[in-house]
């Protein structure tokens, strides 16, 4: 019985060590900066907006929206590109002066989605201000999600490897500890 308990205790300690050693794997990508910067005032609109994170972003699973002061008109144009830790999209000429919202929903290399938003202010009307609002919408078709993503979690730490291998490893280690403890327990009672 003592051997069984000892084996189970060793397995439990090993599993805890494995899980505690995996703490960096629980960290996810977080927002670091943007261009234009959050809260910036610009005299002319940017031709591209970008958001930078603490981890590498996956290509093809990201969304960036640029919405005008009316809260409806989209100005993003083309494919959202991921280059390392930065995600960006081209921007059509902006319209009226005011606050522009950049919403993002991106997927980091560890498979964790990160979403949020930043804003900048255009201090002078852009070239699209002379066009009716429907022209700006036609020039930049709205993505499936019409409003910017709300500010979401901001985790500390940088991204790491996926969590599931650590969980599977812990389960296998605990199971192996139980099997060893049971075998040692049988051997001690027979002899």
């Amino acid at each position: 019985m003592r051997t069984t308990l000892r084996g189970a205790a060793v397995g439990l300690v090993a599993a805890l060590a494995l899980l505690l050693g995996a703490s960096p794997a629980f960290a996810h990508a977080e927002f670091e900066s943007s261009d234009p910067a959050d809260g910036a005032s610009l005299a002319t609109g940017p031709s591209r907006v970008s958001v930078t994170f603490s981890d590498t972003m996956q290509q093809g699973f990201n969304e960036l929206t640029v919405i005008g002061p009316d809260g409806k008109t989209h100005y993003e144009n083309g494919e959202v590109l991921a280059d390392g830790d930065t995600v960006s999209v081209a921007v059509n000429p902006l319209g009226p002066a005011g606050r522009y919202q950049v919403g993002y929903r991106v997927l980091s290399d560890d498979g964790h989605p990160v979403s949020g938003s930043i804003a900048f202010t255009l201090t002078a009307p852009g070239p699209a201000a002379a066009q009716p609002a429907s022209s700006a919408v036609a020039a930049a078709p709205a993505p499936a999600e019409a409003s910017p993503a709300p500010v979401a979690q901001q985790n500390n730490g940088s991204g790491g490897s996926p969590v599931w291998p650590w969980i599977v490893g812990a389960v296998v280690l605990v199971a192996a500890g139980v099997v060893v403890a049971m075998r040692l327990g049988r051997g001690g009672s027979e002899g």
Side-chain angles (χ1 to χ4, degrees):
M1 181 67 167
R2 185 176 281 174
T3 306
T4 303
L5 290 175
R6 217 178 274 152
V10 168
L12 184 59
V13 168
L16 285 173
L18 181 64
L19 286 175
L20 292 176
S23 61
F26 293 114
H28 298 293
E30 64 180 64
F31 171 84
E32 286 191 339
S33 64
S34 63
D35 184 19
D38 189 21
S41 292
L42 308 172
T44 59
S47 60
R48 185 165 208 81
V49 296
S50 63
V51 186
T52 303
F53 299 90
S54 62
D55 193 10
T56 303
M57 296 292 116
Q58 292 186 22
Q59 180 65 38
F61 301 101
N62 305 307
E63 183 176 331
L64 279 177
T65 57
V66 182
I67 299 177
D70 65 1
K72 300 178 206 170
T73 308
H74 284 257
Y75 291 91
E76 69 275 1
N77 183 15
E79 182 182 359
V80 177
L81 301 175
D83 183 17
D85 59 355
T86 301
V87 177
S88 66
V89 69
V91 178
N92 285 325
L94 298 183
R99 187 169 190 253
Y100 286 76
Q101 191 86 7
V102 178
Y104 59 86
R105 180 163 172 80
V106 296
L107 191 63
S108 65
D109 255 359
D110 69 359
H112 188 266
V114 180
S115 59
S117 64
I118 59 115
F120 64 90
T121 302
L122 186 63
T123 58
Q131 300 175 2
S134 61
S135 300
V137 173
E145 186 178 314
S147 62
V151 175
Q153 57 84 33
Q154 295 291 325
N155 293 314
N156 291 328
S158 63
S161 59
V163 175
W164 68 267
W166 294 102
I167 293 171
V168 170
V171 169
V172 168
L173 187 61
V174 169
V178 169
V179 168
V180 168
M182 291 177 73
R183 285 190 179 180
L184 288 175
R186 283 189 203 146
S189 63
E190 290 175 5

